[in-house]
Each structure stands twice: as C-alpha cells, then as structure tokens.
Amino acid sequence: MTQAFVIGSGVAGLAASIRLAVAGHAVQVFEQAPAPGGKLSVHSEGGYRFDRGPSLFTMPHLVEDLFTLAGVPIAEHFRYERLVEANRYFWQDGTRVTGWSDPLRFANELQERLSIDQETTLRYLNRATLLLESTGRTFLEHSLHRWETLREGGVRKALTTARWNELTGTLNDINRSAFKNEKAVQLFNRFATYNGSSPYKTPGLMRMISGLEHGQGAFYPEGGMHSITRALHQLAVMVGVRFHFNSPVERILLNPGLDRVTGIRVDGQELNAPVVVSAIDIVPTYRQLLPDLPAPKRTLAQERSSSALVFYWGVKTVHPELGLHNILFSNDYTAEFEHLFEKGQVYRDPTVYINITSTHTPSDAPAGCSNWFTMINAPRQVGQDREAMVQSARAAVLAKVQRTLGFDVENFIEVEQVLDPKGIEELTGSYQGSIYGTSSNSPWAAFLRHPNFHPRVEGLYFCGGSVHPGGGIPLALHSARIATSMIERPPRATRPNSV
C-alpha cells in the first residue's frame, strides 16, 4: 500500500484524500488549522451560526460522486434541496427581480420587471448551458497541460463551439450585445465575480456561469454549507484517511536531484512518502514548502483574483424582503471594478451580497432573528490600511442597505465579526487574501493556471482553487479528481516551460 500525503483539508484536499484512499493508498492529511474545511468552515457566536466562506452550492453531483466512489449511501451523511429561487436582486430605485432557478420563470420575471423579451433571455440562457456542457466541460474536467487529456477533452471542438466574440470579447461586451437594459447587463455581468474576476476583463465565454443557476440550478445543503465539509471529512475517515490537525507542513522533501518527492517535514520530523498532493495555495506551496525548487515565476506573477470583506451580523429581527441569497447592486458597476482591480480599493458604493441561512435553517439564529453573512468584493491584500478599509466599508454597507431596503440594520446588530482580505490570508493561507487564486481577467487564464502536477518532479501534485481549473467548490472538486487521476498515469506536460 503506497503512502500518500495530502497537505490541506479544504474541500479539494478532502476530495483528493477520499479518491486516493479508495484507490488503495494509505492516506494522511496534514492541516495547520484545528479542524477541516479551509474556507468552507463555520463560526458560531451568541446563538448565531455562520458559514464562514462559500455560500452558494452548485453541481451537487460532484459531492455525490465521492460517496458513490466509496460505496457509501450519501443520504445517511448529506442531504440538500434544489432552490426555487437562486437570488433576489435589488436596485436603489426600487426595482426588484427574483432570480428564479427555472429558466422560463426567470425569463418571464425579466420580461415583467425589466421589459426584456422572454425569448431574448431564454436564448441567452440556452447558449450559456450549451457552452457549459461543451466548452465548459472540456476546460473544467480535463487537464489542459497534457497532450493526451487535451485530445480526450476535445479542446479543438470546444474552441470551435465557442464564438469568436466569446473568446476575444469581454463578458460585458457579450451582455451589452444581448440586452439593451442596463440592469440586465449588470445582473449578468455579476457572474464574473463567481471566479473573482471583472466583467470588463474576463472573456465572454464566462457567460456559461449563468447556466449553473438558471439551468442546472442552485442548491442548499441541509444544515448549511459547512455540512459539505462535515460530510466529506466523515467519508474520508470511513475510507481510512488519517488526519493530523494543528500540523502545518514545514517542507515538501525532494531527492538531491530535485526530480522526485520523498515526503514532508512536520514539526521537525521527516515523514516518507512517494506521493504528495498540495491542496493549499500555489504561492506559499512554492515559496514556503519548496524553497529549493525553481519557482514558476510567470505563473506566480499572474494577477490575483478579488478578495472579500465579510461582516457576520447577528440581527435581532427578520426582514421579510430578504431570502437566502440577496444582491444589492452598486449604482456604478464600472467604477466598482475599477476600484477593485486598478486602484486596490473598496468602492464607496459597493454591491452588497447578503446570505441568510436562517431563512432555510431556523436554528442558525435565535427566534425572531437572522444571521446575516454580509459580503462585498474587496481588492487583494497588498498592504492597505486594514482598519480604515473595514471602517469605511462598514459605513458604505450600512448606507447601502438603508438606501436600497429602507432598513437601518445597524440598530438591530447584536453580534458582529469581521473577516477582511488580510484575515482571509491568515485564516486560510490564500495568498493576498485572493479567494479564487488567480483572476480570469484574460482569454488565456485557463491555460496559464498552474497544472495539477509538476512536470519535472515525480510524485508531486496540486489541487485546490489556485490551480487548474480554478476557484470555487465545484472547480476545487474537479481539481482533486484531475490531480489524483494522474497518479496512476504519470503526466507529460504540453509545454516544457509550463511550470
């Protein structure tokens, strides 16, 4: 039985450990935190429970696949429901739009609220779904750094499926050509934030993301998002994975020729294994754990994704207009993203996202109260004044809620915790607090992400949101599958200098 070490127990690390154990490896996971989950963790205070990180659940079959692989009935450990509505959208002029999961119902909603012809919306969503099922599957489910998987994934066909403007134009360009209503453009531009990018820079191909919510659907795990972590950790233990918490890895060990993994060093002790999977951010993996290995400077220098600033508010009331997922739009989306990516600042009128799980899980808040996960997009952490950023952002969020909902939430806040970009970096190890690794503000972003293997170091693999295919729960789960599938099929890079 071959030893395999996994560094990090975020969702990608958990998935990788399960896959390796089922394949017959003796798997040990080393995690610097006291509990599993990474960004997908939990915080409780004063009778309120908050999912600390990701709040939207899509592609549940990727979680189901792990239970099927292990031969364990999922219903005993994890349940979820399909949401009837994915989001509620709010503008300051009083416009309200419900983002129904059903495409036809959503198209009818946009026709009624924004005077957009039903066929226009359906045509847009059908195109998004087509891209998601063709081009999207190729880019998300296969390595783009191996000749054989490029052929298997049908990259040539995938690229020919995409239209020229979807490859070379921006998401904003695509949306402006599809919709003449500014609010509709803003609504569909928002999907760029699902991978921490700007709609004014990310390629039009990213229109496919809307096919997730208004095609495949959005879902809610019973007990909240942290139940994903809990279920996968339980499954990993069931298939024989050993976990070591409060155990930060100090070094990935290589042989003298720097072409083969020999193990890791933890707490000054060297442990031997021929397979090591790093499921943490790629930047600290190289800079801290692989200091003797030449770092891929071009890869590490890529533009990082946006970060987030989150206010966890225990609110002593229930606001009936708000559902599970709520978006309060900025009046100037262009300026907001210029501040994020060009100026490294939080815009004075940010788009505010409010996730309230107590609408579905009442026990997440005391009776008559609500747990507000209140988030705005924030720039990556590059030495900004933390205190000033938090104070100005808090004031901007409170003002935005007041202007848009007519509700002075500050008077009802009884529990508060803040997580800023620097805190995200400290808590999860995400370099500069970028929650999706590198941004997708380039047509070549998918090809420039770090591969799931090292082409010159035998036994060294990578998964998680900072490597191919990208950030977010579904992509992290894909990365674990891609990385572990390569262990039995030693990879050959498509480009000699890909790393």
Side-chain angles (χ1 to χ4, degrees), residues 186 190 327-331 333 336-337 347 349-353 375-377 400:
Q186 188 175 29
R190 178 184 151 266
I327 309 295
L328 282 57
F329 275 118
S330 167
N331 278 349
Y333 222 38
E336 180 175 6
F337 282 92
Y347 185 50
D349 177 37
T351 296
V352 178
Y353 166 69
M375 184 188 81
I376 61 173
N377 294 312
K400 187 70 179 179

Side-chain angles (χ1 to χ4, degrees), residues 30 141 145 148 172 208 210 263 324 369 436:
F30 297 84
E141 298 180 12
H145 306 87
E148 53 267 45
N172 180 65
M208 73 177 71
S210 62
L324 177 62
C369 302
Y436 298 96

